[in-house]
Amino acid sequence: MNMTDSGHRQGAPHATTDPAGDTLDPQRLAPHVEQDWVDAFILEQRLLGIPGDRIGDALAEVESHVNDSGEGALDAFGDPVAYAREVAAGPRVDDDRDPSWIFGLGLGLAGMNLTLFSTHAWIDGEGRMALTAGHLVVLGLVVATLALLLLRSEAFLRFVLQRPWVSLGLFVLHFSAMVGALFLLSTPVAHVPTGLVGAAGVLALAAGTIMEWRSRTAGQLEDPILGPGESRPARGGLGWFGWLTILLFPLITLAMVGLSLLVARLS
Amino acid sequence: MNTEQWPSEWLRGVLGVCVLRILLDGPSYGYAITQRLAEAGLGTVKGGTLYPLLGRLEEAGHVEVEWRPGDGGPGRKYYALTEQGRAEAGEQSARWADFTSTTRGLTDAAIAQPTGRN
């Protein structure tokens, strides 16, 4: 714990910092507050993009008040969602978070598909690949989804949380539309050299992996809920799981290319 | 001491200047401020009303905050007036005095009037 990390903040109601860093239970900051209230408060503040240290500070203050007054949080602070919105003034996390992780995801997905399409065309001995209307539809759907996630992430997440079954239905529909487009819209709109598609795929994979690595090592997606005076747990190395997530698309692509070559050799 | 609960819209209007006035006596924390407000006769002010107000005072630069460790229990977040906050407390208190004089100039006459038509 750090007692002087921000000038006017000293001391801590709870100085519990888990060295593992990823298992910090926010309830530790408010042990006398109803669990449901804490959960709903945190969810709303997260959706509003409030940084973890400010969420922790607000929770510690609620704890301090209910501990002093003997009231329940619902009595003293009312509805947790309304209170979370009331105390949401100030900068949001998105203000200083760079979107490299989402571009990494998009490039990884695109790179994987381009590499696999070109591998299959190369195995079939096609020097030039047909670019179909289905390919363009898939590209459009992927770009639209990523744009939605990037530009309207709060609305997107609220919708998924409030209507999980409708969201699942839409996800299935989205996936079916992509598969359907690939099979049904097979009219070629252009012919592209297979080598060029493969090179673009490998480049996209490399660029996506670098972006994911950058996002991971900068700790962009880590925002633990910290109590007053608590400092961010030290981040260890990436670990095997961290590397696996960064290298996910290149590894899947390699496995699929290997499988395709094996099948081609055996048949 | 009047312990009745005042209309909430009146409290919303006067709470800011009352909290600034309480903080003129020295740094204090949320629950202690609610106690002072109750002792002053303003009734029970809920945490859900007080803390967002304190947050706005902090945003405006009128108060600074400091967490102090508690005795065995959780710590407490103390609010202390800044120089700007002291000036604001004096200014708002003076304006509130003018405001209440003005409203009383209008409403006091109604106190002596018989109520109802019968």
Side-chain angles (χ1 to χ4, degrees), chain B residues 55-118:
Chain B
R56 287 194 292 275
L57 292 177
E58 188 187 353
E59 282 276 305
H62 296 329
V63 297
E64 285 176 335
V65 298
E66 178 191 12
W67 275 97
R68 297 185 189 170
D71 306 325
R76 287 172 178 148
K77 190 177 183 179
Y78 276 75
Y79 293 83
L81 285 181
T82 58
E83 275 311 306
Q84 184 194 332
R86 287 186 171 278
E88 182 74 9
E91 193 181 314
Q92 278 203 28
S93 298
R95 292 197 69 200
W96 186 259
D98 280 351
F99 179 68
T100 47
S101 301
T102 305
T103 51
R104 288 195 66 180
L106 180 66
T107 59
D108 276 4
I111 298 170
Q113 297 288 319
T115 54
R117 276 185 278 180
N118 298 325

Side-chain angles (χ1 to χ4, degrees), chain B residues 18-38:
Chain B
C18 289
V19 169
L20 286 170
R21 161 64 193 88
I22 288 169
L23 291 176
L24 269 180
D25 293 340
S28 188
Y29 56 95
Y31 180 65
I33 295 171
T34 63
Q35 295 298 97
R36 279 291 308 276
L37 290 166

Side-chain angles (χ1 to χ4, degrees), chain A residues 86, chain B residues 6-17 42 45 49 53 56 96:
Chain A
E86 275 275 350
Chain B
W6 303 101
S8 58
E9 58 268 35
W10 293 5
L11 278 175
R12 259 201 299 280
V14 76
L15 203 54
V17 65
L42 275 96
V45 173
T49 307
L53 168 71
R56 287 194 292 275
W96 186 259

